[in-house]
Amino acid sequence: MVDRVTATPAALALIARLQATHGPALIFHQSGGCCDNSAPNCYLPGELTLGAYDVHLGEIGGVPFYISAGQYQYWKHTQLIIDAVPGFSENFSLEGGTGLSFITRSRLFSDPEWAELQAAGLV
């Protein structure tokens, strides 16, 4: 089964760094792009309340990754690829101050991948 969300080695290294600093229990949420821009945000437990309309896409680096249902409708045909790049994030994500920022890249699922996800009831 194709993953709906994956992470690059750079993102996995940053996740491990954040876990070493803050502990293993983290959570990701792909923001919707309002005041905090559209970016993957990493939080400590309790810093973000998940709602009934948040969709669990999978895990990256052992950390659960969610997206709002509204945003999911825009992104559901794509695999989200979380990366970490030099620069400072302008949001409330935990990587602020590390000199790195999480970003989202994406690619369209192939027809066979999309059919597999549909058959599994995951879209």
Side-chain angles (χ1 to χ4, degrees), residues 5-36:
V5 62
T6 65
T8 65
L12 293 173
L14 183 52
I15 291 167
R17 181 176 166 186
L18 294 174
Q19 288 174 318
T21 302
H22 300 284
L26 303 175
I27 187 170
F28 272 95
H29 194 276
Q30 176 69 35
S31 72
C34 178
C35 56
D36 60 352

Side-chain angles (χ1 to χ4, degrees), residues 10-101:
L12 293 173
L14 183 52
I15 291 167
R17 181 176 166 186
L18 294 174
Q19 288 174 318
T21 302
H22 300 284
L26 303 175
I27 187 170
F28 272 95
H29 194 276
Q30 176 69 35
S31 72
C34 178
C35 56
D36 60 352
N37 68 42
S38 183
N41 292 291
C42 185
Y43 299 103
L44 292 170
E47 289 185 331
L48 177 70
T49 301
L50 294 172
Y53 297 107
D54 288 307
V55 177
H56 180 246
L57 289 184
E59 293 191 357
I60 55 173
V63 177
F65 194 101
Y66 294 86
I67 189 170
S68 71
Q71 282 296 304
Y72 177 70
Q73 290 305 309
Y74 293 111
W75 293 85
K76 70 180 179 182
H77 296 92
T78 66
Q79 180 182 57
L80 300 187
I81 305 159
I82 307 308
D83 199 359
V85 296
F88 293 95
S89 62
E90 295 182 11
N91 54 33
F92 300 108
S93 190
L94 280 178
E95 82 274 10
T98 66
L100 297 168
S101 292

